[in-house]
């Protein structure tokens, strides 16, 4: 069930991708505040995971996309189509989706952008959307969902946090992180009356992220088990991407320590390893509590004692 007072974070899916290496759902995180919720990323399985967690579209206020790798947006269309209209306890009020703009350094014509992605999905499912609007009396989907490209000039290394969204429950701030060659890629911080959560998105070990997460109650940070890929003979290009674009679990621990976070949750787990592999590496750098996330785990903010 959804909490009607207070705040909690639900790790709906924790797997990196696009790959099916474990039973975990793809990366997606819900931030629940006083009976409403906000989603960050739409990995494979997030629609079912959100439903199982008790989240219904009618309580969705806004959504955020960290970057446009497919494992973060693959289920965006399904989530919207499965949570739209009163017939499915879906949203009937406006929902905003904030995410990266097109890559300004790419002029290939495939540069992307969140506004373009959402518009393209509505085009692709235009037949279904039109039929359900006229035949089932659902509200026009295009009029309910608005997509917004986040504008952040400058490069990731010198990035400053920018305000992205606010309502009566949350204030959301983004900062560019380092996930080359993907650009832009963001981390998000949610501040509420109850506390704060910071979500790393996909990033190499990042001081700008540590600054964004200063004093945060909960830091949800990605991690990669490089040993998993090395031991299985993955190719040089694949390993190179993992090394320069993601963070080791001890690196996540260092970022948590630098930021003064109260608690570290490891999610977006790339590679397969026992919980203790992830936890011990992070805990070697961070003195606070460390949890290895699983799909559907709930984290009250601030954490209850015990
Ligand atoms: Zn990525």
């Amino acid at each position: 069930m959804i909490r009607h007072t207070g705040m909690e974070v639900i790790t709906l899916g924790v797997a990196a991708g696009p790959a099916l290496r474990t039973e975990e759902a793809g990366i997606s995180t819900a931030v629940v505040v006083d009976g409403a919720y906000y989603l960050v990323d739409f990995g494979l399985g997030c629609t079912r995971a959100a439903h199982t967690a008790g989240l219904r579209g009618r309580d969705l206020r806004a959504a955020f996309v960290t970057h446009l790798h497919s494992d973060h947006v693959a289920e965006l269309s399904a989530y919207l189509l499965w949570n739209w209209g009163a017939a499915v306890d879906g949203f009937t009020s406006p929902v905003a989706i904030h995410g990266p703009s097109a890559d300004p350094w790419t002029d290939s014509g495939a540069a992307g952008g969140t506004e373009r992605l959402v518009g393209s999905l509505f085009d692709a499912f235009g037949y279904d959307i039109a039929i359900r609007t006229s035949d089932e009396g659902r509200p026009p989907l295009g009029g309910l969902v608005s997509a917004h490209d986040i504008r952040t000039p400058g490069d990731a290394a010198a990035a400053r946090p920018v305000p992205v969204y606010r309502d009566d429950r949350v204030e959301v701030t983004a900062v560019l992180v380092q996930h080359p060659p993907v650009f832009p890629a963001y981390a998000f911080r949610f501040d509420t009356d109850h506390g704060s959560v910071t979500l790393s998105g996909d990033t190499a070990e990042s001081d700008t992220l540590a600054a964004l997460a200063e004093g945060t109650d909960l830091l949800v940070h990605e991690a990669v088990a490089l040993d998993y890929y090395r031991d299985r003979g993955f190719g040089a290009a694949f390993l190179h991407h993992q090394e320069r674009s993601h963070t080791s679990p001890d690196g996540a621990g260092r970022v948590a320590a630098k930021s003064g976070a109260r608690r570290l949750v490891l999610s977006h787990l790339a590679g397969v390893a026992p919980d203790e592999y992830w936890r011990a590496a992070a805990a070697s750098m961070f003195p606070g509590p460390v949890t290895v996330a699983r799909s559907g785990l709930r984290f009250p903010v601030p954490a209850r004692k015990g």
Side-chain angles (χ1 to χ4, degrees), residues 16-159:
L20 294 170
R21 305 195 201 282
T22 69
E23 296 297 310
E24 302 294 335
I27 184 69
S28 180
T29 311
V31 180
V32 182
V33 186
D34 294 338
Y37 71 98
Y38 307 82
L39 287 177
V40 179
D41 288 336
F42 293 85
L44 200 66
C46 71
T47 309
R48 171 67 70 184
H51 188 87
T52 301
L55 304 178
R56 298 293 180 269
R58 62 176 175 238
D59 300 317
L60 176 66
R61 291 291 177 274
F64 303 85
V65 172
T66 58
H67 65 294
L68 297 177
H69 262 148
S70 60
D71 56 318
H72 294 250
V73 292
E75 217 167 280
L76 175 57
S77 55
Y79 193 87
L80 295 175
L81 292 167
W82 262 246
N83 285 281
W84 157 47
V88 294
D89 295 329
F91 55 84
T92 54
S93 302
V95 170
I97 302 175
H98 296 265
S101 65
D103 181 345
W105 315 116
T106 304
D107 58 3
S108 67
T114 304
E115 294 171 7
R116 182 173 166 187
L117 173 70
V118 173
S120 300
L121 293 174
F122 285 174
D123 282 349
F125 291 96
Y127 176 74
D128 175 89
I129 292 167
I131 267 192
R132 292 188 194 283
T133 303
S134 62
D135 184 44
E136 299 177 12
R138 298 198 194 210
L141 186 56
L144 286 181
V145 177
S146 59
H148 306 274
D149 287 354
I150 299 168
R151 311 281 173 193
T152 46
D155 67 89

Side-chain angles (χ1 to χ4, degrees), residues 85-292:
V88 294
D89 295 329
F91 55 84
T92 54
S93 302
V95 170
I97 302 175
H98 296 265
S101 65
D103 181 345
W105 315 116
T106 304
D107 58 3
S108 67
T114 304
E115 294 171 7
R116 182 173 166 187
L117 173 70
V118 173
S120 300
L121 293 174
F122 285 174
D123 282 349
F125 291 96
Y127 176 74
D128 175 89
I129 292 167
I131 267 192
R132 292 188 194 283
T133 303
S134 62
D135 184 44
E136 299 177 12
R138 298 198 194 210
L141 186 56
L144 286 181
V145 177
S146 59
H148 306 274
D149 287 354
I150 299 168
R151 311 281 173 193
T152 46
D155 67 89
R160 294 179 183 282
V162 293
V164 168
Y165 173 89
R166 82 181 293 164
D167 63 18
D168 56 332
R169 290 175 171 83
V170 303
E171 201 174 318
V172 181
T173 309
V175 76
L176 282 169
V177 288
Q178 295 90 22
H179 189 43
V182 174
F183 186 92
Y186 291 105
F188 293 111
R189 175 175 175 138
F190 288 68
D191 284 289
T192 79
D193 288 345
H194 306 290
S196 67
V197 58
T198 305
L199 301 116
S200 71
D202 283 14
T203 183
E205 195 172 330
S206 166
D207 283 341
T208 51
L209 169 60
L212 179 74
E214 186 179 352
T216 197
D217 289 294
L218 191 67
L219 173 61
V220 181
H221 202 296
E222 70 123 271
V224 59
L226 288 171
D227 293 335
Y228 173 85
Y229 300 112
R230 286 193 191 116
D231 293 349
R232 283 158 185 78
F234 278 72
F238 186 90
L239 282 172
H240 179 63
H241 169 76
Q242 298 296 334
E243 284 170 0
R244 73 173 181 141
S245 299
H246 294 285
T247 304
S248 62
D250 46 307
R254 272 191 296 274
V255 172
K258 270 185 200 166
S259 70
R262 291 182 59 202
R263 182 173 188 177
L264 172 62
V265 172
L266 297 176
S267 187
H268 191 278
L269 303 171
V272 183
D275 277 11
E276 189 55 17
Y277 170 95
W278 302 103
R279 198 204 62 75
S284 71
M285 295 293 161
F286 175 61
V290 179
T291 305
V292 181

